[in-house]
């Protein structure tokens, strides 16, 4: 048994201006945790998936994520020096891999806005898991720059992309991204990603009741049989700025019902432990899965929490480690990285942090008062990534 050390955490009042105290001696002295690939948190969940936000900036203003009223012209984004460099990110990634991480997802903000992102991808794609396999290396993007960048991303070693797309109707799409960005350009980006071999591509659609639920069926029809996996995400109460209301959440069960009435579905098993999406396959006339028609996924973070299998850690743009999408505090790894900490120190610190993890916000959400985003000021999704 390892002895637990007291950990310093960073309360996030404003993620960009709050002082970032160094975790300091508590991490670096006392019982050391070595990397075994077998790290588990206090609820026995392993560490397998690392999501890295490479920028807090975005060229869209999706109202569920970066509403214009808050993220306006004067919004104080992080200065470049505050961001982890590509070398720092790669160093942290290696430490996480030593603890058993198999999958890395680059996100943001809009990750393709980070200058020379291909160089980071080259560095990460050279890493190997503990079993000696390449990482499952992927990226989530709004697709706006994909037509231009897909080939270079593939050449740099990116395996797959997930593209966010909230509807096919141009007016609906322009209004949801709130910067009047045309849907045709994202569809061209998806085509370019497919041509470049960045598949199997996943398409993420956030469903907001009263805003884009009428786009569910057109999206299902469009991507059925395309080789891409369309996933419907319940609108979540992430962050503190999107004015979330429960009555704007369309439960995934209703999404399934709606599609099944026109395009019959059948449930499929999970393809990997910790998978966030419940999978449904298109059925053929005999009621069996029509593999050529493909499948869809539903991510029911609000109505059916999946915290029990959550094996994801999140690294913010400035090197704060978050243990939950809904966390209001992070652990300042950047000060360790930029200080005197050795890789062994970092391994031990992350080991202590993960072992102490108790987060299961979505499971506890129902017990919270009211139907609005409540409690401590939570970190914004554009800062830690989805
Ligand atoms: N900009 C990139 C994009 O949009 O794909 C990557 C970052 S974005 C924060 C990652 C994912 O989070 C996107 O698929 C987005 O739709 C999703 N997302 C953002 N805010 C959300 C919310 N309030 N509820 C559910 N999903 C959300
Ligand atoms: Fe930007 Fe992605 Fe957030 Fe939309 S969801 S505002 S594209 S970071
Ligand atoms: Fe994981 Fe937190 Fe989401 Fe639960 S609420 S699945 S612990 S990120």
């Amino acid at each position: 048994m390892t002895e637990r050390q007291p950990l310093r955490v960073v309360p996030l009042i404003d993620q960009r201006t709050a002082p970032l105290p160094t975790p300091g001696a508590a991490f670096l002295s006392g019982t050391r945790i070595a990397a075994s690939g077998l790290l588990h948190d206090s609820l026995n969940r392993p560490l397998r998936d690392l999501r890295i936000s490479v920028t807090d900036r975005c060229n869209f203003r999706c109202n569920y994520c970066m509403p214009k009223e808050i993220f306006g012209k004067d919004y104080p984004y992080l200065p470049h020096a505050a961001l982890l460099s590509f070398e720092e990110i790669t160093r942290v990634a290696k430490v996480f891999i030593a603890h058993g991480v198999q999958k890395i997802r680059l996100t943001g903000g809009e990750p393709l806005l980070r200058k020379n992102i291909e160089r980071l991808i080259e560095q990460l794609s050279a890493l190997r898991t503990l079993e000696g396999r390449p990482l499952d290396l992927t990226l989530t993007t709004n697709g706006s720059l994909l037509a231009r960048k897909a080939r270079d991303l593939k050449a740099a070693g990116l395996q797959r992309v997930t593209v966010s797309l909230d509807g096919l109707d141009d007016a609906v799409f322009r209004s949801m991204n709130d910067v009047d960005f045309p849907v045709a350009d994202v569809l061209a980006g998806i085509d370019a990603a497919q041509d470049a071999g960045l598949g199997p591509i996943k398409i993420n659609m956030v469903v907001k009741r009263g805003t884009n639920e009428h786009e569910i069926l057109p999206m299902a029809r469009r991507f059925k049989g395309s080789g891409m996996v369309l996933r419907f995400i319940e609108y979540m109460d992430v962050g503190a700025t999107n004015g979330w209301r429960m009555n704007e959440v369309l439960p995934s069960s209703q999404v399934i019902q709606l599609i099944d009435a026109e395009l019959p579905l059948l449930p499929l098993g999970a393809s990997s432990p910790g998978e966030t999406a419940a999978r449904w396959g298109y059925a053929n006339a005999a009621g069996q899965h029509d593999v050529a028609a493909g499948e869809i996924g539903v991510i029911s973070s609000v109505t059916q929490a999946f915290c029990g299998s959550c094996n994801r850690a999140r690294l913010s743009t400035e090197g704060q480690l978050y243990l939950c999408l809904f966390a209001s505090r992070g652990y300042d790894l950047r000060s360790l990285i930029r200080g005197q900490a050795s890789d062994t120190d970092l391994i031990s610190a992350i080991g202590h942090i993960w072992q102490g993890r108790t987060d299961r916000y979505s499971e506890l959400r129902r017990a919270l008062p009211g139907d609005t985003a409540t409690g401590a000021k939570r970190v914004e999704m554009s800062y830690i990534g989805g």
Side-chain angles (χ1 to χ4, degrees):
M1 272 296 277
T2 46
E3 186 191 315
R4 289 268 309 287
Q5 297 298 304
L7 301 174
R8 287 192 74 181
V9 295
V10 184
L12 280 177
I13 299 141
D14 178 317
Q15 304 91 5
R16 299 157 312 280
T17 54
L20 303 176
T22 162
F27 284 128
L28 304 179
S29 62
T31 312
R32 309 288 289 177
I33 296 179
S36 63
L38 299 171
L39 190 65
H40 284 77
D41 71 7
S42 69
L43 300 174
N44 205 28
R45 296 169 296 188
L47 173 55
R48 293 285 174 268
D49 186 332
L50 178 63
R51 299 185 176 200
I52 303 174
S53 174
V54 293
T55 176
D56 59 340
R57 292 163 197 258
C58 188
N59 54 343
F60 283 14
R61 286 291 175 276
C62 307
N63 50 24
Y64 51 71
C65 178
M66 293 181 77
K68 252 184 189 164
E69 313 80 67
I70 310 284
F71 296 88
K73 281 198 176 64
D74 299 329
Y75 186 81
Y77 294 99
L78 293 169
H80 193 262
L83 272 50
L84 290 190
S85 69
F86 292 164
E87 286 65 32
E88 288 170 334
I89 291 175
T90 305
R91 182 173 172 214
V92 180
K94 277 187 196 163
V95 169
F96 274 90
I97 290 169
H99 276 308
V101 160
Q102 313 263 338
K103 175 173 171 182
I104 290 186
R105 176 178 295 281
L106 300 179
T107 176
E110 173 45 44
L112 298 186
L113 288 182
R114 179 82 186 250
K115 215 171 157 210
N116 298 324
I117 184 81
E118 299 82 2
R119 302 289 84 76
L120 173 64
I121 291 168
E122 277 168 10
Q123 292 180 29
L124 294 176
S125 68
L127 303 181
R128 292 292 173 266
T129 66
L130 289 177
E131 298 78 27
R133 287 196 293 271
L135 282 174
D136 183 1
L137 184 58
T138 178
L139 175 147
T140 302
T141 172
N142 62 25
S144 58
L145 300 171
L146 208 44
R148 239 181 289 162
K149 285 185 168 264
R151 273 179 189 283
D152 290 346
L153 294 170
K154 179 69 185 177
L158 189 68
Q159 290 166 358
R160 315 181 274 119
V161 287
T162 296
V163 184
S164 303
L165 178 64
D166 295 334
L168 290 171
D169 180 89
D170 195 46
V172 171
F173 186 72
R174 284 176 191 257
S175 124
M176 284 187 82
N177 64 53
D178 214 8
V179 292
D180 212 26
F181 196 88
V183 73
D185 290 12
V186 175
L187 294 173
I190 293 171
D191 288 346
Q194 219 173 14
D195 291 348
L198 285 169
I201 297 174
K202 289 179 184 160
I203 307 289
N204 277 355
M205 173 176 174
V206 175
V207 181
K208 242 182 129 176
R209 196 202 289 267
T211 301
N212 65 340
E213 66 205 87
H214 49 287
E215 289 295 301
I216 294 172
L217 272 171
M219 287 281 284
R221 290 182 201 122
R222 165 113 190 183
F223 290 104
K224 182 178 176 222
S226 67
M228 298 183 235
V229 179
L230 173 59
R231 304 179 327 158
F232 299 92
I233 306 180
E234 286 177 352
Y235 170 42
M236 289 186 286
D237 47 335
V238 283
T241 58
N242 66 9
W244 184 87
R245 290 284 181 282
M246 185 66 199
N247 62 11
E248 287 179 306
V249 178
L250 186 75
S252 294
S253 54
Q254 293 185 31
V255 173
I256 295 296
Q257 268 174 25
L258 186 72
I259 298 174
D260 181 60
E262 179 181 316
L263 308 166
L265 294 167
L266 76 173
L268 305 175
S271 59
S272 62
E275 188 170 286
T276 50
R279 300 168 60 220
W280 292 78
Y282 288 109
N284 59 21
Q288 281 154 352
H289 183 204
D290 177 352
V291 177
E295 62 182 76
I296 59 164
V298 287
I299 303 183
S300 320
S301 346
V302 178
T303 61
Q304 271 191 298
F306 38 78
C307 303
S309 60
C310 181
N311 55 17
R312 293 175 293 286
R314 293 179 158 85
L315 186 65
S316 81
T317 317
E318 55 180 339
Q320 299 258 313
L321 173 59
Y322 285 83
L323 303 180
C324 177
L325 191 50
F326 298 91
S328 52
R329 60 191 195 177
Y331 297 87
D332 183 13
L333 294 188
R334 189 185 62 189
S335 60
L336 283 183
I337 298 165
R338 294 189 179 169
Q340 297 299 312
S342 66
D343 284 356
T344 323
D345 293 333
L346 276 176
I347 285 172
S348 186
I350 290 167
H352 280 292
I353 294 169
W354 190 262
Q355 281 190 347
R357 178 180 187 241
T358 56
D359 302 65
R360 52 187 191 101
Y361 174 82
S362 286
E363 285 182 356
L364 302 176
R365 179 190 282 112
R366 279 174 190 283
L368 294 174
D371 73 345
T372 55
T374 51
K377 183 166 171 156
R378 290 193 293 259
V379 66
E380 295 298 329
M381 196 138 172
S382 49
Y383 171 78
I384 54 167

